[in-house]
Amino acid sequence: MSDERARLFVALELPDDARTTLLRWRARHVDEHAALRPTPPASLHLTLCFLGWREVAEIDAIAAACARVGAACDAVRLSLAEPVWLPPRGPRVLAVELVDQAGGLAQIQSALSGALAEGGWYRPEQRPFRAHVTVARVSKGARVRRVVLRAPPPHPLLGSTVTLFRSRLARGGARYEPLRRIELGQG
Ligand code: 2AM
């Protein structure tokens, strides 16, 4: 792939303590499963909009649109919830859902989706937004239907950073490079 294009997505970052809780839970209940490849700790995030391949020349405008949305949104209170296999039939990832009780995260996602679509950089998803953090990927050909997992502790967290990432595909798995970090509610 040429350097002219970049694979982009926007995600909510997790505070360190929530990340630690997830990693501890994963070490106790998930890492033993040979069919699962754990997400590297630095790659644990909650994806809001996956843009796919865009022109590198568009990155500044995309980042500016994300910053405008972020400035108008407050940080969001969330809580770690149940582990889920996604998609439910023929799962490719193990994720942990997040409870967005006050709906603040859904509002940010919807505002970002609208702004990025308006800029012509994003095609909004048809399926409803499902807040989750991918904690492991299912190895090719592996079956995980019978694997039953305990939920992590219901850890409350404040999501305050939305980041535009570039995903660099590599043999050992994608590497995510932050291009612009936006602190919520700093407008
Ligand atoms: P995930 O949140 O379920 O892990 C970078 O690839 C991030 O964008 C990942 O966190 C990934 O999903 C998310 N994503 C959403 N849609 C995607 C798609 N069609 N292809 C690749 N990644 C996608």
Side-chain angles (χ1 to χ4, degrees), residues 7 9 45 47 50 132 134 137 176:
R7 199 165 181 261
F9 67 99
H45 58 249
T47 302
F50 179 78
H132 68 270
T134 292
R137 301 200 179 270
Y176 305 141

Side-chain angles (χ1 to χ4, degrees), residues 68-81:
R68 279 194 296 279
V69 171
C73 296
D74 287 327
V76 283
R77 290 195 182 283
L78 304 168
S79 180
L80 297 182

Side-chain angles (χ1 to χ4, degrees), residues 7-11 39 43 45-50 86 93 95 125 127 132-135 137 167 169 174 176:
R7 199 165 181 261
L8 304 177
F9 67 99
V10 184
T39 308
S43 300
H45 58 249
L46 190 164
T47 302
L48 296 167
C49 293
F50 179 78
L86 297 175
V93 304
E125 296 263 359
R127 56 191 174 186
H132 68 270
V133 176
T134 292
V135 294
R137 301 200 179 270
S167 167
L169 300 177
Y176 305 141

